DNA sequence: ATATAATTATGACACTGTGTCATTTTATTG
DNA sequence: CAATAAAATGACACAGTGTCATAATTATAT
């Protein structure tokens, strides 16, 4: 969260800072970015930065929120329009991430952010994790056609979908074409839906 | 790869350096570790470090190899003993990772490493990725009971299993008990085997 | 044994980036 | 137009980096 001082800044100055930061965050992974580069690019004094933001993390969080908006709200809307289909939800999220990358610089920025999400998801985005949001909004999800037997199964399903989707987002940036990447993701979702093993029911 | 100079060092000195490095790598995530701390703990001169290793990355790679050994070989052995069952393979890998954490310091070290694997898997471990090894050793995998239709399906299955397993390893460290974590992982594998949707075959 | 060469060890050095803070500049208000 | 509050500034002390000339050690040849 930036300080009031930052919010009070004239828009042009705010935008200049945001643009400089995005450029820096797109350049290298988070740990390698430097505040020095940001303040130089934005043409503000070093001390001013600390008057606007607590830290580099603070700034990144702010910029991410600028892009993602209210994720919970978005998820709710998608779920309602999809009749609670959880697979469509994740596919929609995946696609809307791709659509966010409208120009070269946004593409680079998102690429850097998503590729560097840690397996453990410790830090940033924590509160906006699909897992937590979907736990809260369980009632919006149509569970009748899901293989849910125990209390824990719902959570497990969300975790699987989340892992695969985030991973797919990251690898999308490495594919030659977006189309190929999409196909791969859809293939993965199909396996999740129907299972990797043949003859599922005949075992029973 | 350390230099010959390093390999020629008396074992006690080598061990002291490795121990110091492990401690530092366990302390904070890779980007935050400092060579300064390592050389101080190991009681060697700063310059000496650079005579032994090219960089911090170099050192970490070396230490990881010390722990993991030849992964390809391991995978081959497991596959043969499991009659090519790909699910058992991943479960075995998961469990053997857990078993590696015999004491507190190893636990901390592994935790740090695994939690900080990037979604995109860019850097370290690249060559030892299960995906690549299993592509090479396709013939050892029993594919008869897998729902493989097209050429790409095999790769997709491996990717899914790999994502879920790595993610499970990472979250294992956050669970209260190892037993609970294992149960969650097994539940995930069951979903992958049989699918999240009910009535798979009846659709056809 | 000892001169010579090769290997290994050392820490001072120049550099880059960090967060702070006393001071200056600009804006607001009575 | 003071007086006061808010915002901007960059010098400063720190911490860590990789290098390199020099010193210490070890190996080799005579």
């Amino acid at each position: 969260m930036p300080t009031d001082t930052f919010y009070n800044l004239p828009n042009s100055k705010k935008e200049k800072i945001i643009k400089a930061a995005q450029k820096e965050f797109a350049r290298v992974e988070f740990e390698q970015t430097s505040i020095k580069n940001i303040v130089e690019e934005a043409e503000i004094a070093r001390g001013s930065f600390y008057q606007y933001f607590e830290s580099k993390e603070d700034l990144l969080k702010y910029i991410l929120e600028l892009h993602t908006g209210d994720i919970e709200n978005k998820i709710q809307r998608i779920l309602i329009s999809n009749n609670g289909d959880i697979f469509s939800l994740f596919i929609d999220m995946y696609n809307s991430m791709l659509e966010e990358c409208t120009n070269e610089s946004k593409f680079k920025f998102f690429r850097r952010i998503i590729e560097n999400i840690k397996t453990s998801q410790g830090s940033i985005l924590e509160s906006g994790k699909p897992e937590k949001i979907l736990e809260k909004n369980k009632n919006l999800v149509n569970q009748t056609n899901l293989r849910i037997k125990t209390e824990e199964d719902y959570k497990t399903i969300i975790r699987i979908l989340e892992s695969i989707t985030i991973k797919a987002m990251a690898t999308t940036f490495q594919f030659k074409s977006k189309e190929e990447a999409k196909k791969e993701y859809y293939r993965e979702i199909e396996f999740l839906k129907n299972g990797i093993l043949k003859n599922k029911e005949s075992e029973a």
Side-chain angles (χ1 to χ4, degrees), chain A:
Chain A
M1 321 298 124
T3 60
D4 288 345
T5 312
F6 177 77
Y7 285 115
N8 293 337
L9 251 35
N11 281 334
S12 63
K13 196 168 182 180
K14 270 192 278 194
E15 277 160 23
K16 203 169 176 190
I17 293 169
I18 292 168
K19 217 177 162 190
Q22 272 172 347
K23 189 177 168 190
E24 179 66 0
F25 288 136
R27 188 180 63 86
V28 287
E29 68 177 289
F30 181 74
E31 275 79 10
Q32 320 240 41
T33 56
S34 83
I35 291 170
K36 184 177 176 279
N37 284 344
I38 296 171
V39 299
E40 277 171 8
E41 179 86 14
E43 291 174 294
I44 59 170
R46 180 164 190 80
S48 298
F49 178 90
Y50 292 96
Q51 209 129 34
Y52 305 149
F53 301 95
E54 240 181 44
S55 60
K56 223 165 58 171
E57 281 83 356
D58 201 24
L59 170 58
L60 178 56
K61 267 190 198 173
Y62 168 70
I63 292 180
L64 283 177
E65 272 173 26
L66 237 44
H67 283 291
T68 57
D70 182 348
I71 291 187
E72 176 154 5
N73 198 271
K74 197 172 183 177
I75 287 180
Q76 287 169 343
R77 277 187 290 108
I78 296 178
L79 270 179
I80 290 165
S81 71
N82 285 339
N83 300 314
D85 184 329
I86 190 83
F87 299 102
S88 305
L89 170 68
F90 277 92
I91 288 172
D92 280 7
M93 301 276 286
Y94 172 87
N95 285 323
S96 81
M97 189 282 294
L98 280 193
E99 280 155 24
E100 267 289 330
C101 302
T102 44
N103 59 51
E104 182 72 359
S105 72
K106 277 194 185 177
F107 177 85
K108 282 185 184 171
F109 174 72
F110 275 107
R111 171 174 194 155
R112 194 63 80 177
I113 299 299
I114 289 174
E115 284 191 346
N116 287 290
I117 292 175
K118 304 283 170 59
T119 319
S120 65
Q121 289 276 74
S123 53
I124 290 155
L125 285 171
E126 185 61 22
S127 63
K129 276 180 73 177
E131 184 180 332
K132 291 190 180 170
I133 294 173
L134 285 170
E135 185 60 32
K136 268 177 68 183
N137 294 277
K138 213 172 168 174
N139 60 310
L140 290 178
V141 174
N142 174 12
Q143 295 174 50
T144 55
N145 59 343
L146 304 183
R147 185 187 292 275
I148 291 176
K149 284 168 190 164
T150 74
E151 189 59 29
E152 285 296 311
D153 283 346
Y154 176 73
K155 280 188 193 175
T156 302
I157 289 170
I158 303 300
R159 286 199 187 120
I160 291 173
L161 283 165
E162 191 181 332
S163 301
I164 296 296
T165 303
I166 289 177
K167 174 80 180 179
M169 285 178 181
T171 38
T172 292
F173 292 107
Q174 290 157 353
F175 266 85
K176 296 137 216 158
S177 82
K178 278 190 188 179
E179 284 316 305
E180 265 189 77
K182 244 188 211 182
K183 271 191 206 162
E184 166 65 16
Y185 177 54
Y186 290 171
R187 210 160 33 232
E188 288 173 11
I189 293 289
E190 274 309 300
F191 275 115
L192 298 188
K193 279 183 174 176
N194 297 317
I196 292 171
L197 284 181
K198 278 183 191 165
N199 309 321
K200 183 174 64 174
E201 293 305 321
S202 58
E203 293 173 34

